[in-house]
PDB file of all heavy atoms in Angstrom:
ATOM      1  N   GLU B 355     157.495 184.700   5.949  1.00 83.00           N
ATOM      2  CA  GLU B 355     157.647 183.994   4.669  1.00 83.00           C
ATOM      3  C   GLU B 355     158.374 182.667   4.825  1.00 83.00           C
ATOM      4  O   GLU B 355     158.069 181.708   4.129  1.00 83.00           O
ATOM      5  CB  GLU B 355     158.416 184.890   3.685  1.00 83.00           C
ATOM      6  CG  GLU B 355     157.581 185.948   3.005  1.00 83.00           C
ATOM      7  CD  GLU B 355     156.506 185.360   2.100  1.00 83.00           C
ATOM      8  OE1 GLU B 355     156.800 184.379   1.410  1.00 83.00           O
ATOM      9  OE2 GLU B 355     155.389 185.885   2.098  1.00 83.00           O
ATOM     10  N   TYR B 356     159.350 182.619   5.744  1.00 84.00           N
ATOM     11  CA  TYR B 356     160.191 181.440   5.857  1.00 84.00           C
ATOM     12  C   TYR B 356     159.363 180.197   6.190  1.00 84.00           C
ATOM     13  O   TYR B 356     159.688 179.094   5.772  1.00 84.00           O
ATOM     14  CB  TYR B 356     161.254 181.685   6.928  1.00 84.00           C
ATOM     15  CG  TYR B 356     162.202 180.530   7.117  1.00 84.00           C
ATOM     16  CD1 TYR B 356     163.254 180.315   6.236  1.00 84.00           C
ATOM     17  CD2 TYR B 356     162.037 179.639   8.173  1.00 84.00           C
ATOM     18  CE1 TYR B 356     164.110 179.252   6.399  1.00 84.00           C
ATOM     19  CE2 TYR B 356     162.895 178.571   8.339  1.00 84.00           C
ATOM     20  CZ  TYR B 356     163.928 178.386   7.449  1.00 84.00           C
ATOM     21  OH  TYR B 356     164.769 177.324   7.605  1.00 84.00           O
ATOM     22  N   PHE B 357     158.272 180.380   6.939  1.00 85.00           N
ATOM     23  CA  PHE B 357     157.476 179.247   7.403  1.00 85.00           C
ATOM     24  C   PHE B 357     156.252 178.984   6.541  1.00 85.00           C
ATOM     25  O   PHE B 357     155.302 178.378   7.001  1.00 85.00           O
ATOM     26  CB  PHE B 357     157.033 179.469   8.852  1.00 85.00           C
ATOM     27  CG  PHE B 357     158.132 179.341   9.851  1.00 85.00           C
ATOM     28  CD1 PHE B 357     158.677 180.457  10.445  1.00 85.00           C
ATOM     29  CD2 PHE B 357     158.628 178.109  10.188  1.00 85.00           C
ATOM     30  CE1 PHE B 357     159.694 180.334  11.369  1.00 85.00           C
ATOM     31  CE2 PHE B 357     159.639 177.978  11.107  1.00 85.00           C
ATOM     32  CZ  PHE B 357     160.173 179.093  11.697  1.00 85.00           C
ATOM     33  N   ALA B 358     156.263 179.473   5.277  1.00 84.00           N
ATOM     34  CA  ALA B 358     155.064 179.321   4.442  1.00 84.00           C
ATOM     35  C   ALA B 358     154.690 177.861   4.254  1.00 84.00           C
ATOM     36  O   ALA B 358     153.527 177.523   4.063  1.00 84.00           O
ATOM     37  CB  ALA B 358     155.299 179.977   3.089  1.00 84.00           C
ATOM     38  N   GLY B 359     155.675 176.952   4.341  1.00 87.00           N
ATOM     39  CA  GLY B 359     155.386 175.526   4.182  1.00 87.00           C
ATOM     40  C   GLY B 359     154.665 174.912   5.348  1.00 87.00           C
ATOM     41  O   GLY B 359     154.293 173.743   5.314  1.00 87.00           O
ATOM     42  N   PHE B 360     154.433 175.700   6.398  1.00 88.00           N
ATOM     43  CA  PHE B 360     153.766 175.177   7.585  1.00 88.00           C
ATOM     44  C   PHE B 360     152.246 175.090   7.437  1.00 88.00           C
ATOM     45  O   PHE B 360     151.592 174.507   8.287  1.00 88.00           O
ATOM     46  CB  PHE B 360     154.098 176.068   8.792  1.00 88.00           C
ATOM     47  CG  PHE B 360     155.021 175.435   9.767  1.00 88.00           C
ATOM     48  CD1 PHE B 360     156.315 175.119   9.400  1.00 88.00           C
ATOM     49  CD2 PHE B 360     154.607 175.135  11.043  1.00 88.00           C
ATOM     50  CE1 PHE B 360     157.170 174.525  10.292  1.00 88.00           C
ATOM     51  CE2 PHE B 360     155.460 174.539  11.942  1.00 88.00           C
ATOM     52  CZ  PHE B 360     156.741 174.235  11.574  1.00 88.00           C
ATOM     53  N   ALA B 361     151.711 175.700   6.360  1.00 90.00           N
ATOM     54  CA  ALA B 361     150.246 175.795   6.242  1.00 90.00           C
ATOM     55  C   ALA B 361     149.547 174.444   6.322  1.00 90.00           C
ATOM     56  O   ALA B 361     148.555 174.317   7.048  1.00 90.00           O
ATOM     57  CB  ALA B 361     149.887 176.525   4.954  1.00 90.00           C
ATOM     58  N   PRO B 362     150.007 173.378   5.606  1.00 91.00           N
ATOM     59  CA  PRO B 362     149.301 172.099   5.711  1.00 91.00           C
ATOM     60  C   PRO B 362     149.299 171.538   7.126  1.00 91.00           C
ATOM     61  O   PRO B 362     148.280 171.003   7.583  1.00 91.00           O
ATOM     62  CB  PRO B 362     150.090 171.180   4.760  1.00 91.00           C
ATOM     63  CG  PRO B 362     150.819 172.075   3.869  1.00 91.00           C
ATOM     64  CD  PRO B 362     151.104 173.312   4.638  1.00 91.00           C
ATOM     65  N   PHE B 363     150.423 171.686   7.824  1.00 92.00           N
ATOM     66  CA  PHE B 363     150.491 171.169   9.192  1.00 92.00           C
ATOM     67  C   PHE B 363     149.495 171.887  10.097  1.00 92.00           C
ATOM     68  O   PHE B 363     148.775 171.259  10.882  1.00 92.00           O
ATOM     69  CB  PHE B 363     151.922 171.342   9.718  1.00 92.00           C
ATOM     70  CG  PHE B 363     152.084 171.002  11.173  1.00 92.00           C
ATOM     71  CD1 PHE B 363     151.956 169.691  11.596  1.00 92.00           C
ATOM     72  CD2 PHE B 363     152.325 171.982  12.102  1.00 92.00           C
ATOM     73  CE1 PHE B 363     152.091 169.373  12.926  1.00 92.00           C
ATOM     74  CE2 PHE B 363     152.463 171.671  13.431  1.00 92.00           C
ATOM     75  CZ  PHE B 363     152.352 170.362  13.844  1.00 92.00           C
ATOM     76  N   ILE B 364     149.452 173.239   9.969  1.00 92.00           N
ATOM     77  CA  ILE B 364     148.544 174.015  10.816  1.00 92.00           C
ATOM     78  C   ILE B 364     147.096 173.649  10.505  1.00 92.00           C
ATOM     79  O   ILE B 364     146.269 173.462  11.407  1.00 92.00           O
ATOM     80  CB  ILE B 364     148.799 175.524  10.598  1.00 92.00           C
ATOM     81  CG1 ILE B 364     150.207 175.903  11.031  1.00 92.00           C
ATOM     82  CG2 ILE B 364     147.783 176.356  11.363  1.00 92.00           C
ATOM     83  CD1 ILE B 364     150.503 175.657  12.475  1.00 92.00           C
ATOM     84  N   ALA B 365     146.790 173.502   9.201  1.00 92.00           N
ATOM     85  CA  ALA B 365     145.419 173.139   8.826  1.00 92.00           C
ATOM     86  C   ALA B 365     145.066 171.773   9.397  1.00 92.00           C
ATOM     87  O   ALA B 365     143.944 171.562   9.893  1.00 92.00           O
ATOM     88  CB  ALA B 365     145.283 173.125   7.308  1.00 92.00           C
ATOM     89  N   ALA B 366     146.032 170.842   9.371  1.00 92.00           N
ATOM     90  CA  ALA B 366     145.772 169.507   9.913  1.00 92.00           C
ATOM     91  C   ALA B 366     145.517 169.577  11.405  1.00 92.00           C
ATOM     92  O   ALA B 366     144.602 168.916  11.921  1.00 92.00           O
ATOM     93  CB  ALA B 366     146.968 168.597   9.624  1.00 92.00           C
ATOM     94  N   VAL B 367     146.292 170.408  12.114  1.00 92.00           N
ATOM     95  CA  VAL B 367     146.103 170.531  13.566  1.00 92.00           C
ATOM     96  C   VAL B 367     144.712 171.087  13.867  1.00 92.00           C
ATOM     97  O   VAL B 367     143.982 170.554  14.715  1.00 92.00           O
ATOM     98  CB  VAL B 367     147.197 171.438  14.169  1.00 92.00           C
ATOM     99  CG1 VAL B 367     146.818 171.875  15.570  1.00 92.00           C
ATOM    100  CG2 VAL B 367     148.513 170.722  14.207  1.00 92.00           C
ATOM    101  N   ILE B 368     144.320 172.154  13.133  1.00 93.00           N
ATOM    102  CA  ILE B 368     143.013 172.762  13.389  1.00 93.00           C
ATOM    103  C   ILE B 368     141.904 171.745  13.126  1.00 93.00           C
ATOM    104  O   ILE B 368     141.003 171.555  13.951  1.00 93.00           O
ATOM    105  CB  ILE B 368     142.812 174.009  12.504  1.00 93.00           C
ATOM    106  CG1 ILE B 368     143.770 175.110  12.920  1.00 93.00           C
ATOM    107  CG2 ILE B 368     141.385 174.510  12.602  1.00 93.00           C
ATOM    108  CD1 ILE B 368     143.608 176.370  12.119  1.00 93.00           C
ATOM    109  N   LEU B 369     141.982 171.054  11.959  1.00 92.00           N
ATOM    110  CA  LEU B 369     140.908 170.128  11.584  1.00 92.00           C
ATOM    111  C   LEU B 369     140.806 168.988  12.586  1.00 92.00           C
ATOM    112  O   LEU B 369     139.712 168.660  13.057  1.00 92.00           O
ATOM    113  CB  LEU B 369     141.183 169.553  10.195  1.00 92.00           C
ATOM    114  CG  LEU B 369     140.571 170.288   9.022  1.00 92.00           C
ATOM    115  CD1 LEU B 369     140.851 169.537   7.748  1.00 92.00           C
ATOM    116  CD2 LEU B 369     139.068 170.397   9.210  1.00 92.00           C
ATOM    117  N   LEU B 370     141.949 168.386  12.917  1.00 92.00           N
ATOM    118  CA  LEU B 370     141.932 167.229  13.822  1.00 92.00           C
ATOM    119  C   LEU B 370     141.389 167.628  15.190  1.00 92.00           C
ATOM    120  O   LEU B 370     140.524 166.948  15.750  1.00 92.00           O
ATOM    121  CB  LEU B 370     143.360 166.680  13.941  1.00 92.00           C
ATOM    122  CG  LEU B 370     143.519 165.413  14.764  1.00 92.00           C
ATOM    123  CD1 LEU B 370     142.651 164.317  14.185  1.00 92.00           C
ATOM    124  CD2 LEU B 370     144.951 164.972  14.772  1.00 92.00           C
ATOM    125  N   SER B 371     141.881 168.762  15.708  1.00 93.00           N
ATOM    126  CA  SER B 371     141.456 169.193  17.039  1.00 93.00           C
ATOM    127  C   SER B 371     139.965 169.537  17.044  1.00 93.00           C
ATOM    128  O   SER B 371     139.232 169.108  17.942  1.00 93.00           O
ATOM    129  CB  SER B 371     142.295 170.383  17.450  1.00 93.00           C
ATOM    130  OG  SER B 371     141.788 170.947  18.607  1.00 93.00           O
ATOM    131  N   ALA B 372     139.520 170.283  16.020  1.00 93.00           N
ATOM    132  CA  ALA B 372     138.112 170.704  16.000  1.00 93.00           C
ATOM    133  C   ALA B 372     137.192 169.500  15.853  1.00 93.00           C
ATOM    134  O   ALA B 372     136.201 169.365  16.576  1.00 93.00           O
ATOM    135  CB  ALA B 372     137.882 171.689  14.862  1.00 93.00           C
ATOM    136  N   PHE B 373     137.537 168.572  14.943  1.00 92.00           N
ATOM    137  CA  PHE B 373     136.646 167.427  14.745  1.00 92.00           C
ATOM    138  C   PHE B 373     136.664 166.502  15.955  1.00 92.00           C
ATOM    139  O   PHE B 373     135.643 165.900  16.282  1.00 92.00           O
ATOM    140  CB  PHE B 373     137.037 166.675  13.469  1.00 92.00           C
ATOM    141  CG  PHE B 373     136.387 167.237  12.239  1.00 92.00           C
ATOM    142  CD1 PHE B 373     136.859 168.398  11.658  1.00 92.00           C
ATOM    143  CD2 PHE B 373     135.288 166.628  11.684  1.00 92.00           C
ATOM    144  CE1 PHE B 373     136.259 168.935  10.552  1.00 92.00           C
ATOM    145  CE2 PHE B 373     134.675 167.158  10.569  1.00 92.00           C
ATOM    146  CZ  PHE B 373     135.163 168.310   9.993  1.00 92.00           C
ATOM    147  N   SER B 374     137.822 166.386  16.620  1.00 91.00           N
ATOM    148  CA  SER B 374     137.865 165.560  17.827  1.00 91.00           C
ATOM    149  C   SER B 374     136.941 166.126  18.894  1.00 91.00           C
ATOM    150  O   SER B 374     136.230 165.382  19.568  1.00 91.00           O
ATOM    151  CB  SER B 374     139.294 165.502  18.372  1.00 91.00           C
ATOM    152  OG  SER B 374     140.150 164.943  17.433  1.00 91.00           O
ATOM    153  N   SER B 375     136.949 167.463  19.048  1.00 91.00           N
ATOM    154  CA  SER B 375     136.088 168.059  20.071  1.00 91.00           C
ATOM    155  C   SER B 375     134.620 167.962  19.664  1.00 91.00           C
ATOM    156  O   SER B 375     133.749 167.754  20.503  1.00 91.00           O
ATOM    157  CB  SER B 375     136.456 169.522  20.284  1.00 91.00           C
ATOM    158  OG  SER B 375     137.793 169.627  20.651  1.00 91.00           O
TER     159      SER B 375
END
Side-chain angles (χ1 to χ4, degrees):
Chain B
E355 279 295 320
Y356 181 79
F357 288 105
F360 252 64
F363 173 68
I364 297 299
V367 165
I368 293 181
L369 268 184
L370 184 58
S371 171
F373 273 77
S374 299
S375 302

